[in-house]
Amino acid sequence: MLAGITSLFDPYGRQARLFPGLLTIFPALLCALAWFPQLLSGLGSTLLTICSSCGLLYALSSLARTKGKQVEKRLLKNWGGWPTTLLLRHSNGELESHTRKRYHAFLAKSAKLAFPDADTEARDPAAADAVYASAVKWLKERTRSKEFALVEKENAQYGFRRNLRGMKSLGISLCMFALLLSLASVVFVAKVDWSSYYAHLGETISTIIAEQPAQRWGALAVDILAAFAWLVIVNDEWVRQAGYQYAYALLACCDKLTITSANR
């Protein structure tokens, strides 16, 4: 099965698309397996293999990418553009000015573009951004090799966070559904005397806990932790950080390409 997954997805596809999809369904799937462990063997395993072979994993990764792209549109509007473009702007102070000047000089010469100065950028920001976008596109095409592994790594990291952010609503919904269903099931199958529930509350709770296998409580704990992670960690700022990490890594390739060109 692992060989099949490897053949379906390249490294970027696995990290940026498949993993967010799998993480989204994992807590709910874990709860289902805790209650129905027979799914791991026999007919359940066969059905899972068939579903994977029929494109279930590919559909899941495609959904993650679609949701991520939808979120990305809103994020780019909030950010004011791609991080790569923002870093190249004269008006942006996140990139040190001498470094930005060096990148401008290299890209202008190598991509054969007339880079705007600060005054020109201020007069026509849209035209300046078009130049920056074209330069970044030129740079991307020349960094698609193993020599620039850090760029590929940061790009996959951004794709992973973006797509996971896109799946956030679905992820939280599945966590809540699995949590409520599991708790309801625990109460339903508990062999306790509900007529004396309030009179012997501690004893009742102890009985309920003791009756359930450890894997069910473990699955519930994972489900709660997953819901916490969705709510606290997976947010817009988390994605923005990855976007800027990728932008810095990509633009830093200007220095490497400069050295390579000089040595030829």
Side-chain angles (χ1 to χ4, degrees):
M1 184 174 176
L2 289 176
I5 294 175
T6 302
S7 64
L8 279 174
F9 302 96
D10 58 20
Y12 177 86
R14 285 194 297 272
Q15 181 175 339
R17 298 172 185 172
L18 178 61
F19 291 170
L22 291 176
L23 284 173
T24 300
I25 66 172
F26 175 71
L29 182 60
L30 189 63
C31 284
L33 292 176
W35 280 93
F36 305 103
Q38 60 269 29
L39 292 175
L40 289 173
S41 60
L43 180 60
S45 179
T46 302
L47 288 175
L48 182 61
T49 302
I50 292 174
C51 289
S52 300
S53 302
C54 291
L56 179 63
L57 294 179
Y58 189 83
L60 187 62
S61 67
S62 180
L63 175 64
R65 181 180 184 276
T66 299
K67 291 290 187 180
K69 283 293 186 180
Q70 291 174 352
V71 166
E72 187 176 69
K73 290 181 180 179
R74 176 181 60 78
L75 292 177
L76 292 178
K77 185 176 180 180
N78 292 341
W79 297 343
W82 291 100
T84 44
T85 298
L86 298 177
L87 290 178
L88 288 174
R89 288 176 181 170
H90 292 280
S91 57
N92 186 281
E94 295 194 52
L95 185 64
E96 190 269 324
S97 60
H98 295 292
T99 302
R100 181 174 60 248
K101 184 178 180 180
R102 189 170 68 248
Y103 292 166
H104 279 202
F106 170 78
L107 291 171
K109 180 180 178 180
S110 302
K112 297 178 174 57
L113 292 167
F115 267 61
D117 57 23
D119 292 336
T120 304
E121 178 188 287
R123 286 195 300 269
D124 195 346
D129 282 354
V131 174
Y132 303 149
S134 180
V136 168
K137 183 178 180 180
W138 178 91
L139 186 59
K140 285 181 178 179
E141 292 301 321
R142 280 148 186 83
T143 54
R144 299 183 188 277
S145 67
K146 293 181 179 179
E147 184 181 358
F148 302 96
L150 180 60
V151 175
E152 182 179 353
K153 177 182 177 181
E154 295 295 353
N155 187 33
Q157 176 68 204
Y158 167 72
F160 171 80
R161 294 191 185 190
R162 178 201 66 192
N163 293 341
L164 202 61
R165 176 64 182 86
M167 298 289 276
K168 182 173 183 175
S169 296
L170 178 59
I172 293 175
S173 297
L174 287 176
C175 283
M176 293 298 102
F177 177 76
L179 180 61
L180 293 175
L181 191 61
S182 294
L183 290 175
S185 299
V186 167
V187 172
F188 180 76
V189 302
K191 298 176 182 179
V192 297
D193 183 8
W194 294 105
S195 62
S196 59
Y197 173 78
Y198 293 105
H200 305 88
L201 179 59
E203 181 181 342
T204 301
I205 294 176
S206 298
T207 301
I208 292 175
I209 293 175
E211 284 182 347
Q212 300 304 318
Q215 63 266 25
R216 292 181 182 175
W217 295 117
L220 277 173
V222 170
D223 194 56
I224 293 171
L225 289 174
F228 178 82
W230 282 115
L231 292 169
V232 176
I233 298 176
V234 182
N235 53 44
D236 292 354
E237 178 59 23
W238 191 59
V239 181
R240 193 190 79 87
Q241 290 173 0
Y244 270 88
Q245 288 169 5
Y246 167 68
Y248 277 112
L250 179 63
L251 292 176
C253 292
C254 291
D255 290 334
K256 191 170 186 178
L257 290 170
T258 301
I259 296 172
T260 301
S261 300
N263 291 335
R264 288 177 180 173

